[in-house]
Amino acid sequence: MPGKILLAGESWTSYTTHVKGFDAFYTSAYEEGSQRLILALERAGYQVDHLPNHRAAVAFPFTPQELSAYQCVILSDIGSNTLLLHPDVFAKSQRMPNRLISLRDYVLDGGALLMVGGYMAFSGVDAKAKYGRTALAQVLPVACLETDDLMEHPEGVTPQLAQAHPALEGVPGDWPWFLGYNRVLPKPGCTVAMTLEGDPFLAFGQFGAGRSAAFMSDCAPHWGPPQFMDWAGYDPLWAGILAWLTKER
């Protein structure tokens, strides 16, 4: 039966300099890209607790026991440093639990994890997300690169089915195009269900008593265009992934 989902990430703040001849001024904006994904999960019956990036730094759970209140944890466009460097660690040099070790142990103990792509996912822009160097790499169904992994495709590229998977049973085959993705490598023992330009695009794995999945592009713009969010398969895709991930919970 659907339960609670923890979604961390999918938010950003922009600070813009406007130059008009001799004069200049500044504007700032806070934005979230989570609304469409949250709607899809709620339509599937899940309750979603969303921690935007600035709140996740402080409020993301510290222990596997705290994480066990959730059927699944979703990380979307949130770099590893946000979860590793609590303000008291960075500013006060205090010791605190490693939340990526806790998240790994939560999965090994029967939890579910989904990582969604973006500029701060997997390896990320300038390799700043660097999940491949963290404990969480042990329970990701793909291997992260050691370098910047962004693959930009302004011409649009369309995912291809690589292998049938239960999570995709209700998803139509007319996938829309995407404008980019995170390049990762397949991991032995895991399933690559969809590919994009020959690289893994959607992958699944089982680790200990738990399960994980990786979706290598955005759930919203810019890589995921409006055509993706309006696609008839958008809701069934996330519902199918979550149903597979949480099957034993």
Side-chain angles (χ1 to χ4, degrees), residues 156-160 173-178 195-197:
V157 287
T158 305
Q160 303 294 322
D174 61 335
W175 279 73
W177 44 266
F178 289 79
T195 61
L196 195 57
E197 296 294 282

Side-chain angles (χ1 to χ4, degrees), residues 6 17 26-27 33 35 43 73-74 96 100 102 109 111 117 120 137 152 159 168 171 178 182 194 215 226:
L6 177 60
T17 301
Y26 312 96
T27 59
Q35 295 92 336
R43 285 174 173 171
V73 175
I74 302 175
M96 303 193 79
L100 295 184
S102 295
D109 290 342
M120 278 294 164
E152 303 289 356
L168 297 175
V171 180
F178 289 79
N182 299 91
M194 304 286 301
F215 181 82

Side-chain angles (χ1 to χ4, degrees), residues 30-71:
Y30 171 75
E31 299 177 80
E32 295 182 1
S34 57
Q35 295 92 336
R36 185 65 184 88
L37 176 60
I38 290 174
L39 178 60
L41 297 174
E42 289 178 341
R43 285 174 173 171
Y46 297 97
Q47 176 187 335
V48 182
D49 289 347
H50 180 211
L51 287 177
N53 279 299
H54 65 283
R55 290 188 55 224
V58 174
F60 192 90
F62 284 98
T63 67
Q65 292 72 29
E66 292 175 300
L67 289 164
S68 68
Y70 297 97
Q71 278 198 302

Side-chain angles (χ1 to χ4, degrees), residues 1 10 45 57 70 79 121 124 128 141 147 158 164-165 174 201 208 211 245:
M1 185 161 184
E10 276 303 323
Y70 297 97
K128 288 181 178 178
T147 59
T158 305
H165 191 276
D174 61 335
F201 180 72
R211 294 179 170 186
L245 286 172

Side-chain angles (χ1 to χ4, degrees), residues 204-217:
F204 300 89
Q206 298 190 241
F207 300 92
R211 294 179 170 186
S212 72
F215 181 82
M216 265 61 74
S217 194

Side-chain angles (χ1 to χ4, degrees), residues 17 22 25 31 42 46 63 77 91 96 112 116 120 130 134 153 156 186 214 223:
T17 301
F22 181 86
F25 63 94
E31 299 177 80
E42 289 178 341
Y46 297 97
T63 67
D77 227 347
M96 303 193 79
V116 179
M120 278 294 164
K130 61 179 173 60
T134 72
H153 283 276
W223 280 346

